Amino acid sequence: MQRLTPGPLHALLPAGAEIWLDGGHNEAAAQSVSATLAQVANGRPAHLILGMLSNKDATGLLAPFAPLAASFTAVPVPGHAHHDPADLAATARALGIPSTATAPDVPTALASIQAAAPLVLILGSLYLAGEVLRENDELPD
């Protein structure tokens, strides 16, 4: 799990935002990352952005995050076979995440978050993680 430094993606969010990124894409990773997110969040609600390859288990990945999430936005994974964002949003709703949406890309998803000083986690695919790092002008940790 990597905290993104200030960059072009941060500029899309309200002041005080934190953006975290993880390429975790299975249930085992979700258990670990969600535990870390809970510590980082320290009671603050999280805003999840997920793009996931079609050969991965969306419910297994999302279930550990559901209690932490205030909102969820599904995005495609450019250039790769991925879960339909509408299907991912439906899965998130079924898991009890209160606000779900889709977006055509991560920047659009970020721009839609209007919470004060939001805590954002982008996850679900290493391909998506690479794209996010590129869009934020950042090298991986």
Side-chain angles (χ1 to χ4, degrees):
M1 200 163 128
Q2 176 177 342
R3 185 174 180 178
L4 297 186
T5 59
L9 294 180
H10 272 276
L12 300 170
L13 290 165
E18 290 180 37
I19 303 175
W20 292 84
L21 176 67
D22 194 87
H25 51 264
N26 59 40
E27 188 173 355
Q31 294 294 334
S32 178
V33 174
S34 66
T36 301
L37 181 64
Q39 290 176 340
V40 167
N42 196 25
R44 293 179 295 164
H47 302 273
L48 303 179
I49 298 173
L50 174 70
M52 191 172 196
L53 298 185
S54 59
N55 64 344
K56 304 298 179 190
D57 173 20
T59 301
L61 179 77
L62 277 173
F65 293 101
L68 305 171
S71 72
F72 171 87
T73 304
V75 297
V77 180
H80 300 279
H82 56 269
H83 282 279
D84 181 279
D87 293 341
L88 290 174
T91 299
R93 276 191 302 279
L95 290 169
I97 296 176
S99 175
T100 64
T102 63
D105 53 40
V106 170
T108 303
L110 288 169
S112 73
I113 298 171
Q114 298 301 310
L119 173 68
V120 178
L121 175 64
I122 304 167
L123 77 159
S125 165
L126 292 171
Y127 296 113
L128 184 66
E131 182 71 15
V132 167
L133 291 171
R134 185 190 63 74
E135 289 175 346
N136 203 50
D137 296 332
E138 191 161 345
L139 296 174
D141 275 351

